[in-house]
Amino acid sequence: MKREFSAGGVLVRRLRGRWMMAAIRPAGKPPGVWALPKGRIDQGEPAETTALREVAEETGAYGRSLGKLGDVKYVYTWPPKPAAGERIFKVVSFFLIRYEGGRLGDLREEHRHEVAEVKWLPLEEAPQLLAYPGEKAMARKAIAFLEGSERV
């Protein structure tokens, strides 16, 4: 089975005393399908560097890593049905990223085709709002980390 490695981030910031998280609606997905920014790790690139790059490319905002939250592992088929595609085992490493600057939605032209919408969502609501189980788990880990940290 083919293997694929990606990295992404939970980009967080405080707004009006509340933790917010940047979420994307991937291109081609219907309204309300929220996901975390992520992408393939380039040859020789550390996963943490990929996560920072992908967050910036897909949201328009950037930050600094506060550390790894965990890995999400799953199997998918490509191309999807009706064609009989190849099964791929994928590992996505997620990092907690503290917002430092940039503006959501300010995407470079070469990345606009990947993302339909970018939005700040309340972090405490992320486990209900994100579409994918593994990403919901990463949001819960981010909440737990931030609740346990006095200064972030």
Side-chain angles (χ1 to χ4, degrees):
M1 183 181 301
K2 184 177 173 184
R3 294 179 178 273
E4 204 172 87
F5 299 93
S6 293
V10 179
L11 177 67
V12 296
R13 75 180 295 187
R14 298 281 290 177
L15 285 173
R16 296 180 200 96
R18 189 177 192 192
W19 283 109
M20 303 295 283
M21 175 201 76
I24 65 167
R25 179 166 60 93
K29 300 290 184 184
V33 174
W34 295 108
L36 296 173
K38 61 190 167 298
R40 285 198 183 137
I41 297 173
D42 289 341
Q43 183 71 33
E45 183 178 46
E48 190 170 41
T49 302
T50 301
L52 292 167
R53 175 177 53 78
E54 288 292 334
V55 163
E57 288 175 358
E58 295 187 0
T59 68
Y62 60 90
R64 62 182 162 83
S65 175
L66 299 178
K68 187 173 179 178
L69 290 169
D71 293 328
V72 174
K73 300 172 185 176
Y74 57 94
V75 175
Y76 73 97
T77 303
W78 189 259
K81 294 178 182 176
E86 179 181 15
R87 291 176 52 80
I88 299 167
F89 176 72
K90 185 164 186 163
V91 178
V92 185
S93 298
F94 281 98
F95 294 81
L96 182 60
I97 300 172
R98 178 73 154 104
Y99 171 83
E100 290 189 330
R103 204 171 102 218
L104 286 195
D106 258 357
L107 308 183
R108 296 174 120 188
E109 192 59 41
E110 63 263 30
H111 303 295
R112 289 184 196 274
H113 71 281
E114 299 177 44
V115 178
E117 189 178 0
V118 186
K119 189 174 182 179
W120 289 112
L121 299 175
L123 180 60
E124 73 268 10
E125 295 175 23
Q128 293 77 41
L129 296 173
L130 290 169
Y132 307 109
E135 295 184 10
K136 292 173 184 266
M138 292 301 115
R140 284 191 289 274
K141 286 185 175 194
I143 292 167
F145 177 90
L146 293 169
E147 285 176 351
S149 296
E150 291 185 22
R151 290 174 44 129
V152 176

